[in-house]
Structure formats: C-alpha cells, structure tokens
C-alpha cells in the first residue's frame, strides 16, 4: 500500500515520517510518499527522503489522493478530514474524547482511524506508545525551559566570589514526563525532590538521585485500572497532598508539575497561595497547561509572572525539539504499521481481535469503535512496594549473628574433617612424595572455595579477570606435566590448560565488555 505523510500545519515542526522510518516501512512492502517540505522544520530535506526511496509529492491534495494510509502528527483539520475516503486509513493523534464530528465524518465515508494516543499501555505496545515518547521529550524540555527562565545556577558551586547553593527542584508526578524531568534536573546538578500519589515508585525516584517526598496518608492506587496512570485521589488525600505542597513551596526554586490523564481535566495541585509563598525569581513549569493546568495561575501557551514567580504554560514542548520528536514519533508509527502488516507483504490487515489494534482504532468499517473494551492484558502498573522486614533490636541482631557464626563454624569444621579423612585414606596407599603434593592441593581447594564463596554474585564476572593470575600458575604447572610418560597425567594436564585458557581469555573479554559500558561514545 501507499503510505503518505502530509506537511503539518504551522507552527508544528514535527513530521510523521523520517527518512529512516521510511526505509523500515518500505521493508514491510509499502510505498512511501511525503509532501514537499514536510520534514524541513525538523531538519529533514526532500533530498534525504528521495535518497531513502520516498516519492515527494508537491501538494497536500495530491498526496491525500494518492495515499491508502495517511500518517500525521496532529488531528486533521476540517479541510483534511473532507479528504478521507472509503478504504483509507488515518493514523494520527486524534483526540476522540473531544472531537466526535471527525469520527462521524470518517464513519460516513467508510474510512478507518487509528488514534495514537489510544494505544493501550501494555508491555507489548510500548514500542507504539506515542504518548510516552512525547512525554519523555516534554519532561526533558520542561527542565531546560525552567533552567532558561531561572536566574541562577542549577548546580552548586564554590568559587572565589562565593558559594552558590544548588537549586531545589520539585517534580510533581513520576510518570514518563516526571522521570525525564527528574533525570535531567539531577544531571544538571540540582537538588531534586519528587512526589507521586503511588508510593511504590519511590525506588525508581531514589535510583535516579532524587529524594521521594512521602505523604503520611494511606490510599490504594492501581494504575492498571486507569491505563497505567495514577487513579484520581480522594478529597481527603487531596487535602493532605496540598498541605504537603504548602509546606514545601517556600523552599523550592523550581516546581515542575506533570499530573495529567489524557482526556480529563488536569487536577489543580499548585494554588495561588503556594505561588505567593515561593521565593521571588522561582519558576513553575506546568506540563498540564493544555488541559487546564495543574497551577491555578497558568496561562496556556505563555509565560506569566505572578507574585515574582515565572509560570511557564507552554503546550508544545515536543514541537520545540522537532528533530528528536519526529524521530521517536515516526518510530512509533512504523511499529504500528508493522503490527498492521503481519506478513510484511504490503497488505494492511486490521485485526480487531488484537488488543493493541483494537484499542487504538476509533473508527472502522463505517462504525465508531470508541471507546474500546478493556484490553485482555492489564495495563502496565508499578510493582507493589515491598514490605520492609521489622527492625531487630540490638539483642536480637546479636543473637542472629552468633547463630550464623556457629552455623558457619560447624560447616567449616565439617569440611576440614572431611578433607583430613580423605588425606588419611589416601596416605594409607599413596607414596610420601604424592601425599605432600596432595595436601597442598587440598588446602588450595579449601582456601580457594572460601575466598570465592564469600564474593557477591554481582562481582563474579569481574573476578574472572583477577583469577587470571591463578590460572596462569596452573597452566605453567600443566605444561610442565604434558611431557610426562603417563597418558592419565597427559590428559589431566591438557584439560587443565584448556579450562584455564577459557578462564583467562574469557575473563579479559568479559571485563573489557563491562568496562566499555561506562565509556562515553
């Protein structure tokens, strides 16, 4: 089939097809078309598309007429919607909860619409999750915009002119956007705090170098019932949450709010009195501005200054990074097309029994299919927080340590007794010269076992490189025995050389690969 990508209406800079994604789509058996200049705002020239085997079409009407499947970023305008025809498939952000007229028009024409924001949040669909791709960019860009508006360093510094404390950043919401904001702020040297209604995400937050803000209020949350998002909170929880934010507001330099569920009004989390209590020059970045905003003073698409605090209400963070956003979104599109083309023969198969395709399809075969039924597989939810074992008293801790020591002593005494018995039995029949070597061998095995057994499992692989020295000694001894006249000694020596060689070369190879993980590309 012919897959076409029209030029988005300005000021949108993204494009739904890149030269690289077009190459992958063509491998599925499809032909690719692009409107002239569609990728220019993202840095992709028409020449690059032509080099990737994409046909460049001059006008939008011509592209729509020649395409069987149209891929877009934003929902179609009224003029574009009129170009839908029977058998055509549109893959785009659509906003089905906000625009029923578009779906009715598509149903009347017999077209199919796949809404990228409706991709279910299950493991298999992560590669098609365009909302997460764009949220990741939004979280990163939000921190950059905050740093741009903030009049001081984010990282702490000690200079000849004086000491500069690190900026304190609070991120409200630890979804995809929140985690991206946390990672960026941490890498810039800020002192980062994060809050989420799901306490089980605290481990993720702390692993990124931020401090989780705990709220002493128990409320069950199950993201699998709300498409992977946090469930709406109770009034009691909300009041406790706002009280905590009022306590934190005077200390924070930058606040980034990310609480938003697509298709729902954004919850108000940062009120005017909180803004008023912040230090002059502080910054609030509201990532939910498109749905009303988490801050009561947010103005969509603009930066306003209230009570000496700058409040950023941009709703186009992804478009502000057109090249990166286009690359990620185009990959989401081509993965969707891969699922729609199971045989890679250029034929679209719209399997409405498939959880992902059914969930994202809002119009099909002349009928509006939105909202979809719940997926058979539950949405991705954070793992439940592990219960911490009860703390032991000093006496209990000492008693458990003594018991463990006794058990270890019994085990070691048993091993020594067994080794002594073995040496005694061998000594009854073996010559004295052999017995001396055998005792050294037994002791070496015992000491080596004790040393290796005490090493953490995570260190076993790099430890291979350390044991190369021991392996080298064993190889030297084995090589000296290879010339022996006994066939048994020869076989054992050859096996020793082989096994120690694996340890030496494998140890260096694995250790080199591990070190390469930490190299900057």
């Amino acid at each position: 089939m012919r897959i076409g990508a029209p030029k988005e209406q300005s000021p949108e800079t993204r494009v739904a097809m890149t030269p690289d994604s077009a190459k992958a789509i063509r491998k599925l058996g499809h032909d690719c078309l692009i409107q002239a200049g569609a990728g220019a705002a993202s840095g992709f020239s028409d020449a690059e598309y032509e080099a990737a085997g994409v046909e460049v079409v001059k006008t939008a009407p011509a592209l729509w007429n020649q395409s069987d499947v149209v891929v877009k970023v934003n929902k179609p305008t009224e003029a574009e919607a009129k170009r839908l025809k029977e058998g055509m498939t549109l893959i785009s952000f659509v906003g089905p909860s906000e625009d029923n007229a578009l779906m009715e028009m598509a149903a009347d024409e017999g077209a199919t619409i796949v809404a990228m924001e409706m991709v279910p949040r299950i493991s298999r669909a992560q590669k098609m999750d365009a909302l997460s791709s764009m949220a990741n960019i939004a979280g990163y860009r939000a921190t950059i915009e905050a740093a741009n508006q903030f009049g001081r360093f984010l990282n702490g510094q000690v200079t000849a002119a004086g000491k500069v404390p690190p900026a304190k950043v609070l991120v409200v919401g630890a979804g995809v956007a929140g985690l991206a904001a946390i990672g960026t702020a941490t890498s810039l040297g800020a002192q980062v705090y994060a809050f989420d209604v799901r306490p089980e995400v605290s481990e993720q937050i702390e692993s990124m170098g931020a401090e989780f803000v705990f709220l002493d209020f128990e409320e069950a949350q199950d993201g699998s019932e709300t498409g992977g998002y946090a469930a709406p909170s109770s009034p009691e929880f909300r009041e406790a949450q706002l009280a905590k934010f009022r306590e934190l507001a005077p200390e924070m330099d930058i606040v980034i709010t990310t609480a938003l569920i697509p298709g729902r009004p954004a919850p108000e989390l940062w009120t005017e009195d909180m803004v008023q209590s912040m230090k002059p020059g502080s910054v609030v970045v509201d990532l939910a501005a498109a749905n009303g905003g988490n801050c009561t003073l947010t103005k969509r698409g603009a930066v306003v200054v209230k009570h000496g605090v700058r409040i950023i209400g941009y709703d186009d963070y992804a478009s502000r990074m057109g090249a990166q956003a286009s690359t990620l979104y185009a990959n989401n599109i081509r993965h969707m097309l891969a699922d729609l083309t199971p045989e890679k023969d250029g034929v679209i198969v719209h399997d409405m029994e498939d959880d992902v395709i059914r969930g994202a399809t809002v119009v099909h075969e002349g009928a509006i299919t939105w909202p979809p039924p719940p997926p058979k597989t539950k949405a991705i939810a954070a793992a439940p927080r592990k219960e911490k074992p009860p703390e032991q008293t000093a006496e209990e801790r000492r008693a458990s340590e003594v018991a463990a020591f006794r058990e270890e002593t019994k085990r070691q005494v048993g091993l020594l007794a067994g080794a002594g018995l073995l040496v005694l039995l061998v000594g009854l029949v073996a010559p004295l010269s052999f017995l001396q070597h055998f005792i050294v061998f037994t002791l070496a095995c015992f000491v080596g076992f004790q040393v290796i057994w005490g090493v953490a499992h995570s260190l076993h692989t790099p430890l291979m490189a350390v044991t190369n020295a021991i392996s080298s000694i064993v190889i030297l001894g084995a090589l000296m025995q290879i010339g022996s006249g006994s066939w048994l000694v020869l076989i054992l020596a050859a096996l020793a050389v082989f096994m120690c060689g694996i340890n030496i070369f494998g140890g260096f190879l694995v250790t080199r690969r591990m070190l390469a993980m930490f190299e900057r590309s």
Side-chain angles (χ1 to χ4, degrees), residues 42 62 80 100 123 164 192 244 288 432 446 488 512:
S42 295
E80 289 174 326
N100 198 55
S123 297
V164 180
V192 185
K244 188 66 176 180
L432 182 61
F446 177 76
L488 179 60
R512 178 69 188 88

PDB file of all heavy atoms in Angstrom, residues 42 62 80 100 123 164 192 244 288 432 446 488 512:
ATOM      1  N   SER A  42      11.907  19.965  10.792  1.00  0.00           N
ATOM      2  CA  SER A  42      12.605  19.040  11.677  1.00  0.00           C
ATOM      3  C   SER A  42      14.014  18.726  11.189  1.00  0.00           C
ATOM      4  O   SER A  42      14.700  17.885  11.766  1.00  0.00           O
ATOM      5  CB  SER A  42      11.809  17.727  11.786  1.00  0.00           C
ATOM      6  OG  SER A  42      10.567  17.950  12.408  1.00  0.00           O
ATOM      7  N   ALA A  62      -2.842  16.257  -3.611  1.00  0.00           N
ATOM      8  CA  ALA A  62      -2.292  15.175  -4.422  1.00  0.00           C
ATOM      9  C   ALA A  62      -1.819  14.023  -3.542  1.00  0.00           C
ATOM     10  O   ALA A  62      -2.019  12.848  -3.871  1.00  0.00           O
ATOM     11  CB  ALA A  62      -1.130  15.695  -5.265  1.00  0.00           C
ATOM     12  N   GLU A  80      -8.716  18.737   5.776  1.00  0.00           N
ATOM     13  CA  GLU A  80      -8.089  17.425   5.625  1.00  0.00           C
ATOM     14  C   GLU A  80      -9.084  16.306   5.878  1.00  0.00           C
ATOM     15  O   GLU A  80      -9.054  15.262   5.210  1.00  0.00           O
ATOM     16  CB  GLU A  80      -6.898  17.308   6.587  1.00  0.00           C
ATOM     17  CG  GLU A  80      -5.702  18.168   6.202  1.00  0.00           C
ATOM     18  CD  GLU A  80      -4.602  18.136   7.240  1.00  0.00           C
ATOM     19  OE1 GLU A  80      -4.916  18.042   8.440  1.00  0.00           O
ATOM     20  OE2 GLU A  80      -3.420  18.212   6.855  1.00  0.00           O
ATOM     21  N   ASN A 100     -16.048  14.331  18.291  1.00  0.00           N
ATOM     22  CA  ASN A 100     -16.926  13.286  17.771  1.00  0.00           C
ATOM     23  C   ASN A 100     -17.269  13.530  16.310  1.00  0.00           C
ATOM     24  O   ASN A 100     -17.560  12.595  15.556  1.00  0.00           O
ATOM     25  CB  ASN A 100     -18.206  13.221  18.604  1.00  0.00           C
ATOM     26  CG  ASN A 100     -18.943  11.911  18.412  1.00  0.00           C
ATOM     27  OD1 ASN A 100     -18.367  10.842  18.598  1.00  0.00           O
ATOM     28  ND2 ASN A 100     -20.204  11.983  18.012  1.00  0.00           N
ATOM     29  N   SER A 123       2.703  -4.054  27.929  1.00  0.00           N
ATOM     30  CA  SER A 123       4.127  -4.257  27.614  1.00  0.00           C
ATOM     31  C   SER A 123       4.376  -4.386  26.117  1.00  0.00           C
ATOM     32  O   SER A 123       5.313  -3.797  25.577  1.00  0.00           O
ATOM     33  CB  SER A 123       4.653  -5.497  28.339  1.00  0.00           C
ATOM     34  OG  SER A 123       4.572  -5.317  29.732  1.00  0.00           O
ATOM     35  N   VAL A 164      27.739  29.033  45.904  1.00  0.00           N
ATOM     36  CA  VAL A 164      26.411  29.024  45.277  1.00  0.00           C
ATOM     37  C   VAL A 164      25.721  27.714  45.631  1.00  0.00           C
ATOM     38  O   VAL A 164      26.211  26.634  45.259  1.00  0.00           O
ATOM     39  CB  VAL A 164      26.514  29.152  43.739  1.00  0.00           C
ATOM     40  CG1 VAL A 164      25.126  29.146  43.121  1.00  0.00           C
ATOM     41  CG2 VAL A 164      27.268  30.425  43.365  1.00  0.00           C
ATOM     42  N   VAL A 192      17.047  17.511  43.769  1.00  0.00           N
ATOM     43  CA  VAL A 192      15.731  17.190  43.235  1.00  0.00           C
ATOM     44  C   VAL A 192      14.878  16.440  44.260  1.00  0.00           C
ATOM     45  O   VAL A 192      15.346  15.484  44.904  1.00  0.00           O
ATOM     46  CB  VAL A 192      15.841  16.349  41.947  1.00  0.00           C
ATOM     47  CG1 VAL A 192      14.466  16.111  41.331  1.00  0.00           C
ATOM     48  CG2 VAL A 192      16.756  17.047  40.938  1.00  0.00           C
ATOM     49  N   LYS A 244       0.955  19.295  52.162  1.00  0.00           N
ATOM     50  CA  LYS A 244       2.385  18.976  52.000  1.00  0.00           C
ATOM     51  C   LYS A 244       3.042  19.935  51.023  1.00  0.00           C
ATOM     52  O   LYS A 244       4.174  20.398  51.252  1.00  0.00           O
ATOM     53  CB  LYS A 244       2.523  17.532  51.504  1.00  0.00           C
ATOM     54  CG  LYS A 244       3.962  17.024  51.480  1.00  0.00           C
ATOM     55  CD  LYS A 244       4.514  16.925  52.897  1.00  0.00           C
ATOM     56  CE  LYS A 244       5.907  16.343  52.924  1.00  0.00           C
ATOM     57  NZ  LYS A 244       6.444  16.259  54.296  1.00  0.00           N
ATOM     58  N   ALA A 288       0.737  20.372  32.272  1.00  0.00           N
ATOM     59  CA  ALA A 288      -0.671  20.051  32.021  1.00  0.00           C
ATOM     60  C   ALA A 288      -1.446  21.262  31.516  1.00  0.00           C
ATOM     61  O   ALA A 288      -2.675  21.290  31.581  1.00  0.00           O
ATOM     62  CB  ALA A 288      -1.315  19.509  33.295  1.00  0.00           C
ATOM     63  N   LEU A 432      54.947 -41.140  49.735  1.00  0.00           N
ATOM     64  CA  LEU A 432      55.132 -39.903  50.504  1.00  0.00           C
ATOM     65  C   LEU A 432      55.191 -38.673  49.598  1.00  0.00           C
ATOM     66  O   LEU A 432      54.621 -37.629  49.917  1.00  0.00           O
ATOM     67  CB  LEU A 432      56.400 -40.003  51.343  1.00  0.00           C
ATOM     68  CG  LEU A 432      56.713 -38.803  52.244  1.00  0.00           C
ATOM     69  CD1 LEU A 432      55.595 -38.600  53.258  1.00  0.00           C
ATOM     70  CD2 LEU A 432      58.068 -39.004  52.955  1.00  0.00           C
ATOM     71  N   PHE A 446      40.491 -25.757  49.413  1.00  0.00           N
ATOM     72  CA  PHE A 446      39.707 -25.262  50.545  1.00  0.00           C
ATOM     73  C   PHE A 446      39.765 -23.733  50.629  1.00  0.00           C
ATOM     74  O   PHE A 446      38.745 -23.056  50.760  1.00  0.00           O
ATOM     75  CB  PHE A 446      40.211 -25.891  51.843  1.00  0.00           C
ATOM     76  CG  PHE A 446      39.527 -25.391  53.069  1.00  0.00           C
ATOM     77  CD1 PHE A 446      38.247 -25.804  53.392  1.00  0.00           C
ATOM     78  CD2 PHE A 446      40.159 -24.469  53.905  1.00  0.00           C
ATOM     79  CE1 PHE A 446      37.604 -25.314  54.524  1.00  0.00           C
ATOM     80  CE2 PHE A 446      39.527 -23.976  55.025  1.00  0.00           C
ATOM     81  CZ  PHE A 446      38.237 -24.404  55.343  1.00  0.00           C
ATOM     82  N   LEU A 488      47.468 -40.775  31.603  1.00  0.00           N
ATOM     83  CA  LEU A 488      46.499 -40.153  32.514  1.00  0.00           C
ATOM     84  C   LEU A 488      46.937 -38.738  32.873  1.00  0.00           C
ATOM     85  O   LEU A 488      46.127 -37.789  32.860  1.00  0.00           O
ATOM     86  CB  LEU A 488      46.343 -41.003  33.775  1.00  0.00           C
ATOM     87  CG  LEU A 488      45.374 -40.457  34.835  1.00  0.00           C
ATOM     88  CD1 LEU A 488      43.971 -40.329  34.267  1.00  0.00           C
ATOM     89  CD2 LEU A 488      45.368 -41.355  36.073  1.00  0.00           C
ATOM     90  N   ARG A 512      36.488  -6.539  29.556  1.00  0.00           N
ATOM     91  CA  ARG A 512      36.595  -5.452  28.566  1.00  0.00           C
ATOM     92  C   ARG A 512      35.213  -4.968  28.144  1.00  0.00           C
ATOM     93  O   ARG A 512      34.971  -3.765  28.000  1.00  0.00           O
ATOM     94  CB  ARG A 512      37.376  -5.964  27.344  1.00  0.00           C
ATOM     95  CG  ARG A 512      37.514  -4.933  26.229  1.00  0.00           C
ATOM     96  CD  ARG A 512      38.435  -3.798  26.671  1.00  0.00           C
ATOM     97  NE  ARG A 512      38.438  -2.706  25.724  1.00  0.00           N
ATOM     98  CZ  ARG A 512      37.588  -1.697  25.746  1.00  0.00           C
ATOM     99  NH1 ARG A 512      36.669  -1.633  26.699  1.00  0.00           N
ATOM    100  NH2 ARG A 512      37.660  -0.731  24.862  1.00  0.00           N
TER     101      ARG A 512
END
